[in-house]
Amino acid sequence: MASALSPPQVLKPKYVLPSHYHESFLEKKGPRDRDFKKFWAGLRGLTLYFYNSNRDSQHVEKLDLGAFVKLTDEAPWGSPHDPSTHFNLVLRNQEIKFKVESLESREMWKGFILTVVELRVPSNLTLLPGHLYMMAEALAKEEARRALETPSCFIKVSRLDAQLLLERYPECGNLLLRPSGDNTDGVSVTTRQTLNGTPVIRHYKVKREGLKYVIDVEEPVPCASLQAVVDYFVLQTKNALVPFLLDEDYEKVLGYTEADKENGESVWVAPSVPEVLCPGPASPASGPKQLPPVPVMPVPRQHKLPPLLNPDENYVIPIGDTPAADYENGDVPSPAWLGALKPKKCHPAPKVQAKPTKPPTAPKPEPKGLPSSLAKKLAVSSAQALFPTTGLASVTAELEEKLQRRRALEHSAELAGGQQANLGAWHVSHVDPSSQN
């Protein structure tokens, strides 16, 4: 019977230990350390890597040798151990103390460090021929590595910008590589030093000839790479020239320039950051505060339109005077929206023909089906609907008085017209008897 297929075995990746020019156990003590701490150390390029053991592939600390100054053999003061097992690595910004197991180990570490920093095999150390051969191999690897990379002090800026960078950031170095101004494959070197308090700026041209670079001075100096050009300037000036390395620090506070209104000078302003930066869901504890709801203002009463009348019913709408525009209080509604309310046109009353026997009488027009008292109340109520009494008592009384006076004038005019018509008809009937035929 066939056996069940077993799941395929997944091969675990094997960690490849990094290759170093030199490696061994090394005890290290930094400026903030109280005592020495033992690491497995390895040198590759211009960096010292420190591991917890010789089986680890990931380093826990590293030390850049780009800021190298010198090596010393001074042992800690009052140390009972052999001073030949101690050496100090002095950098521009700190000093590191090391302790090794033997004099041979100390000379090996010093020899490899000087080889990668100075790009030459040292000759003033106590070393065996085999050791010197190993350092020569490390030198060839380092030169090949540097030929493929650009130095950190190479910045693509113009001649003027290079001078400004060295002037504004003197703490970052005083030697800078930049592209050549004649649009060739070469580069230029800009340096800035101080002589008796006066800045001195110099520019040097480096030509590209095949795979090599040549420093264009009185006696041309060939170099295998751009890093070799930098190293030549550093070594020939006894570390007086330091490669420029700009710190890429990011600002933590937003700021901008603003012109001062008094003196016209520009000042740097850092505005305060509001609590609510952008809308979006957030937790109630730490999120932005909710904005208060916008209150809805009710429409004032005086702006409400009166209810529409039923067109089927024959109501009489009184005609009132349009209020004047120059009100003294601001609560009176504007006549613009009052003008939109056009009164309903009343049907003309039927004309009464004068009879020859009886003089015609013109009765007072009243609403159909409504007594005169009710029509008068309706007119007053309509005026009150258009002009509410809230805050407008004086205006309403004045309009009522005008309405009553106008109705009295219309009534008297109608009575006078009726009497004149009756008298005219009676006079015609008596004077011209032939009109009856």
Side-chain angles (χ1 to χ4, degrees), residues 266-287:
S266 299
V267 294
W268 184 261
V269 180
S272 58
V273 181
E275 294 184 2
V276 181
L277 295 179
C278 57
S283 59
S286 61

Side-chain angles (χ1 to χ4, degrees), residues 304-343:
K304 292 183 179 180
L305 300 178
L308 298 177
L309 301 178
N310 190 356
D312 297 334
E313 298 181 3
N314 188 13
Y315 287 110
V316 177
I317 300 178
I319 302 175
D321 295 337
T322 303
D326 50 349
Y327 296 109
E328 302 212 354
N329 55 349
D331 297 333
V332 180
S334 173
W337 67 270
L338 290 177
L341 299 176
K342 297 181 179 179

